Amino acid sequence: MNKNYTNLPPYTPAPEDFVTAADPSDEIDLAATLEPYFETSVPCILLSVMTISLNIFVIHYYRRSRLTFVPLLYTLISGFDILTGVGVIHQAVVISLFTRDVLQERVLDYNTVFCYNIVALSYKLSIYGNVVLAVARTLVILRPLHTRIHIKTVVISAALYGVWTYMVNSYRVRHPQSVCSVRRF
């Protein structure tokens, strides 16, 4: 059954098919818009401080042992979680300062891009480290005498995943309309 699709008209999306950002000429009170974020920044800061302090204990515990595969992964995962907590605290402080008219909108834009990239990258690398740890433990359970996991390979794969994630996040920040577009079929 050979269907010929050459006679179909080209698809041109209507303007309402896309979710777009607001027109820059619209006057929006950004401080009022960000006020709910200011109210939620206190719990975010408290949870981030707790996350950072607990992960410091994890790093301190595994620092004393020889850096074999599992302690290295726990140390990396804890480091990524600390970086996530620092990014969340930084963003909460910047939004709080902006809503109180201490910072300009341009500074808020730069910090938002920076914090988005840092938090997204460290969060995804933390998840990647946990997945690698789960897969490695599964392999060791299945083949206990024949499985040897190379630390160098894991670190290189995590670095490549980090670079790929950073490129995707940078594209999402610079082109939000291409990521958020909605197409009706």
Side-chain angles (χ1 to χ4, degrees):
M1 186 154 64
N2 188 5
K3 294 183 180 180
N4 188 358
Y5 292 105
T6 57
N7 295 334
L8 295 176
Y11 175 75
T12 54
E16 63 269 5
D17 290 345
F18 294 100
V19 177
T20 58
D23 187 15
S25 64
D26 292 342
E27 292 297 324
I28 298 174
D29 186 15
L30 198 55
T33 306
L34 292 175
E35 190 65 34
Y37 294 107
F38 176 72
E39 294 170 1
T40 60
S41 65
V42 173
C44 287
I45 290 174
L46 290 175
L47 289 173
S48 295
V49 167
M50 190 169 67
T51 301
I52 291 169
S53 61
L54 292 175
N55 279 303
I56 286 173
F57 287 130
V58 171
I59 289 175
H60 179 67
Y61 177 78
Y62 282 108
R63 184 179 59 107
R64 292 180 282 162
S65 64
R66 202 176 109 229
L67 279 182
T68 57
F69 180 71
V70 173
L72 176 70
L73 270 180
Y74 279 132
T75 303
L76 287 175
I77 291 167
S78 296
F80 294 140
D81 289 342
I82 288 172
L83 193 59
T84 304
V86 168
V88 168
I89 289 173
H90 181 76
Q91 185 65 24
V93 168
V94 166
I95 288 176
S96 300
L97 291 175
F98 178 76
T99 56
R100 300 300 177 234
D101 292 329
V102 176
L103 295 177
Q104 298 174 352
E105 187 174 344
R106 193 172 99 188
V107 175
L108 179 71
D109 291 341
Y110 290 138
N111 279 297
T112 302
V113 170
F114 173 75
C115 287
Y116 174 77
N117 275 325
I118 292 297
V119 169
L121 182 65
S122 60
Y123 178 75
K124 288 178 182 179
L125 282 172
S126 177
I127 291 172
Y128 183 78
N130 283 305
V131 168
V132 167
L133 184 65
V135 168
R137 288 193 174 206
T138 303
L139 290 175
V140 169
I141 289 171
L142 291 177
R143 301 182 67 190
L145 300 175
H146 303 290
T147 304
R148 177 163 160 71
I149 299 169
H150 300 281
I151 295 174
K152 189 176 183 180
T153 306
V154 171
V155 170
I156 289 172
S157 69
L160 290 175
Y161 179 74
V163 168
W164 171 255
T165 303
Y166 180 77
M167 290 188 318
V168 168
N169 288 338
S170 297
Y171 181 78
R172 284 181 179 171
V173 168
R174 287 179 180 79
H175 304 289
Q177 67 276 6
S178 64
V179 176
C180 298
S181 64
V182 177
R183 190 183 245 182
R184 294 181 188 159
F185 292 103

